[in-house]
Amino acid sequence: MNRSCGSFLTTDQFSIDPSELMPLSEDHTRAGHTRADHLCEAHLCEAQLSEGPEHRGLPWAASSSPARRVSMGLLLGLLLVCLGPAGQLRPNLAQDAPVLDRGTYIQENYEKFEYRVPMRDGILLHTTVYRPKDRSRDYPLLMNRTPYSCRPYGQEMARSIGPSAYLERAGYIFVKQDVRGRWNSEGSYDNMRPHVPHEEGISESSDTYDTIDWLLSNLEGHNGKVGISGISYPGFYSAAALPEHHPALVASSPQAPIADFFFDDFHHQGAYILMYWTATGTFGYQHNGPTTENWVPPMSPRPSGNAYEFYLNLGPLKNSRQYYGEDCFFWKQLSSHPNYDEFWQRRSILPPLARNEQPIRTNVMTVGGWFDAEDLYGPLNIYQTLEQNHAEMFNCLVMGPWSHGQWSSAAPNTQVGNLDFGLGISEYYQREVELPFFEHFLKGVAQPPAFEALVYDTGRGQWQTFDHWPPRESEPFGMHFGDDQQLSFTPGPTANGFAEFDSDPAKPVPYRKMSDLTIRFTPRPYMTDDQRFATEHPDVLVYQTDVLEEDVTLVGPLSAHLQVSTTQTDADWVVKLIDVYPEETPNQATTPAGIELGGYQQMVRSEVFRGRFRNSYSQPEPFVPHQVTPVRVPLQDVYHTFKKGHRIMIHVQSSWFPLVDRNPQKYVENIFEADEDDFVKATHRVYHGEQSGSWIEVRRLK
């Protein structure tokens, strides 16, 4: 709760033409492509492959499209505004916009230092400091702790040193550190090292504390205040710094943070995300000591070709041993801990954040993307955990129409897969949200974020502020499965209706069109894919509403309550929420070849649930064949308006390949150890009706 804000904003709005949100210069755009920490993953994995340039689509932006809207209260609190045509208030984003090449500016205005910072157990961590050449004033420290490397090492200057060009020009002492056991730092690496109280041992919190303590004692020209920020793994480190934090750590912005590895990245609701398979080695090998060179061995033989065929030919997960040697500790951890046991539970950052024996006083702004295929669970749950357990701290949430870390991009358009959400969205965030947050809490200038939640409606195409998330202006809302593929807002009269489909592990449902299934380092673009290919698949159940007669805005946590049965003893359940465009929706100038927006079925939210965990993630149990069984599938939060003239569609299926590994459908204790003959066909049923039917639970904005 933002106690320090006094009162909260309402949702009053005024219009802003997206063309007014001016992009950065072309040179600045090129230089900025390296700024997101997660992009450094490419340097670590020899197997990283790409699908090529992403397509551009513009589902609502045209000369007749509604303008993007931004909360008036937010802009009055955060923006310099000017009067535009017809007296409209418009943000003056052009004022003081960076014009020099980003790397040139850093070269001319910063100097670089490298240190070996000692931890309490004697381990030395490589730490790079970029300090403004201007010594006329003191500066706060803004940290980034990363497993992706502080490169370049030595005298060479980086072309980006902060979260954005705006922060670099505002003047900070930027600190970047190779975390324990990575690159040029000593020690052993642990994916999401468990938090332990400082007096009991080392953790990411204690390493951050010791680093801050050393920097404040050994650097000159600072103002005594420290912030921390980062995307993906560095987002986790920004959150992990909060328990028992250093008193000088006054601002933290975890961005796309991992919160729990059983629900983020490599697992979703306990199911193994197979499309992270090539990334496993990136985080799975210990180095032999501090190094400035990549030590991760390339995969051999190198994965290639169509991803569907490659992973199907791989066979059971146990065959992965030919690619990962005995020294790949992360693969051994994944394959030997198939359940949510103590190993995974200790690595969740949420319980340490929930403890309030030592209240968290740091001001926190958590940032995420609605289309983040990797870490959607993390930002939503870190924000809620802090909100529920530390009422006196400043805590706010930003969720935009982004994929993983996309808000750090200098690209003028925000594009996810086939869909382009418009101009200037990321720059608006960088300049009018992120910059004022750090400027206020670290320098005492600018205004603090005057919102509890700044969230983007991915259907209407506009920002909105709320004084609570999920919004108090919402009410419980349900959508119910019925006969003849009907999805209705009231339960149907059928008492024992059902739909069924056959599921064959040898022919799993693809998660994208077959032509799009190439081997990737991480599976990002599919989050807005057209689902017409899946609607036509015989192994997918489809439910949809009639054409909507009014806008329907869904907000907050989304869950599917399924009543199911199977002829076998195990099954996965995949649920998708889909926005069906009208057939007459025209293509726009940016619509890629082969994509038709007329009738486009945009995936809005989706999730997989491993059915064995329906009663407990730590104590799985088989299904009883033919027995009707409740299964709840959490789909994370949503903020999307289904417009008048559109339809709402739901898909239910039991495979999603090769995004998710194949469930054998014959219950085995550890799917990572399943044999080929454990994979069997099954018939699954989904039941509907008033008394024992399946339905979707969410909230609707009034």
Side-chain angles (χ1 to χ4, degrees), residues 150-422:
C150 290
R151 293 188 295 187
Y153 298 102
Q155 296 182 353
E156 182 183 352
M157 301 284 283
R159 294 186 60 80
S160 63
I161 57 177
S164 75
Y166 293 110
L167 281 160
E168 290 164 359
R169 288 163 189 269
Y172 288 79
I173 299 173
F174 291 102
V175 178
K176 196 157 188 173
Q177 184 176 73
D178 289 336
V179 296
R180 181 182 291 255
R182 296 293 284 183
W183 292 90
N184 214 19
S185 286
E186 297 178 352
S188 296
Y189 181 64
D190 194 338
N191 287 288
M192 295 190 71
R193 187 182 305 277
H195 178 81
V196 295
H198 285 189
E199 65 273 12
E200 296 180 13
I202 58 100
S203 66
E204 302 304 340
S205 173
S206 68
D207 281 357
T208 307
Y209 190 107
D210 293 349
T211 299
I212 292 174
D213 218 43
W214 188 92
L215 291 170
L216 294 180
S217 298
N218 290 274
L219 296 185
E220 297 179 350
H222 63 76
N223 69 358
K225 295 183 178 181
V226 181
I228 189 170
S229 177
I231 295 171
S232 195
Y233 258 114
F236 159 71
Y237 296 124
S238 299
L242 296 173
E244 301 178 88
H245 64 81
H246 195 286
L249 183 64
V250 298
S252 175
S253 184
Q255 302 181 9
I258 308 162
D260 190 315
F261 252 162
F262 209 68
F263 305 96
D264 277 321
D265 279 327
F266 289 86
H267 297 95
H268 280 205
Q269 307 298 332
Y272 174 61
I273 302 303
L274 186 58
M275 284 298 287
Y276 280 81
W277 186 80
T278 59
T280 304
T282 303
F283 309 103
Y285 293 92
Q286 300 286 359
H287 64 25
N288 294 321
T291 180
T292 60
E293 301 297 329
N294 181 19
W295 66 96
V296 177
M299 297 189 76
S300 180
R302 184 184 178 92
S304 61
N306 180 277
Y308 189 94
E309 295 175 357
F310 172 81
Y311 287 110
L312 201 57
N313 292 334
L314 177 66
L317 287 175
K318 65 190 303 182
N319 294 341
S320 299
R321 293 170 184 148
Q322 63 182 299
Y323 291 88
Y324 295 115
E326 286 298 316
D327 54 343
C328 184
F329 71 90
F330 191 33
W331 177 253
K332 293 172 68 174
Q333 292 170 344
L334 288 166
S335 58
S336 60
H337 297 279
N339 307 323
Y340 195 52
D341 57 15
E342 184 182 8
F343 177 84
W344 296 117
Q345 292 173 25
R346 293 183 64 236
R347 281 160 172 76
S348 174
I349 194 58
L350 299 179
L353 292 177
R355 299 187 189 112
N356 52 21
E357 297 88 355
Q358 295 185 4
I360 295 174
R361 303 300 187 190
T362 304
N363 304 284
V364 177
M365 181 174 72
T366 303
V367 181
W370 287 126
F371 302 114
D372 190 337
E374 298 162 54
D375 299 304
L376 181 59
Y377 176 92
L380 294 168
N381 283 274
I382 285 174
Y383 162 76
Q384 288 291 357
T385 299
L386 293 173
E387 190 71 8
Q388 294 166 11
N389 294 280
H390 303 276
E392 298 302 318
M393 70 178 293
F394 183 98
N395 179 45
C396 66
L397 175 70
V398 178
M399 295 294 296
W402 298 303
S403 63
H404 190 64
Q406 197 174 14
W407 50 89
S408 71
S409 172
N413 285 53
T414 295
Q415 174 194 317
V416 182
N418 293 327
L419 303 185
D420 189 336
F421 288 87

Side-chain angles (χ1 to χ4, degrees), residues 475-482 486-492 497 543 554 557-564 575-577 629-635 648 650-652 686-700:
E475 57 189 2
F477 185 68
M479 297 182 289
H480 302 263
F481 300 1
Q486 284 295 306
L487 184 67
S488 63
F489 300 156
T490 56
Y543 302 89
L554 304 184
L558 178 71
S559 295
H561 297 268
L562 303 182
Q563 296 286 338
V564 302
V575 180
K576 306 174 196 168
L577 174 68
T629 305
V631 174
R632 176 180 171 270
V633 181
L635 280 87
I648 303 175
I650 297 293
H651 281 183
V652 180
V686 175
Y687 294 82
H688 49 260
E690 186 173 6
Q691 300 300 321
S692 59
S694 302
W695 64 292
I696 303 296
E697 180 184 16
V698 68
R699 301 185 69 84
R700 180 176 179 179

Side-chain angles (χ1 to χ4, degrees), residues 647-667:
R647 295 174 185 260
I648 303 175
M649 178 181 283
I650 297 293
H651 281 183
V652 180
Q653 57 199 70
S654 63
S655 55
W656 210 15
F657 191 77
L659 179 66
V660 179
D661 71 311
R662 296 176 301 149
N663 191 315
Q665 302 188 142
K666 172 186 174 182
Y667 186 87

Side-chain angles (χ1 to χ4, degrees), residues 14-17 20 80-92:
F14 65 91
S15 295
I16 292 178
D17 187 329
E20 297 295 321
L80 294 172
V81 296
C82 61
L83 286 176
Q88 287 184 317
L89 285 169
R90 301 185 187 276
N92 186 13

Side-chain angles (χ1 to χ4, degrees), residues 25-47:
S25 69
E26 183 178 355
D27 286 341
H28 183 199
T29 300
R30 287 197 300 267
H33 281 310
T34 61
R35 77 175 127 198
D37 287 301
H38 67 278
L39 296 180
C40 292
E41 296 165 0
H43 299 299
L44 301 177
C45 184
E46 295 293 335

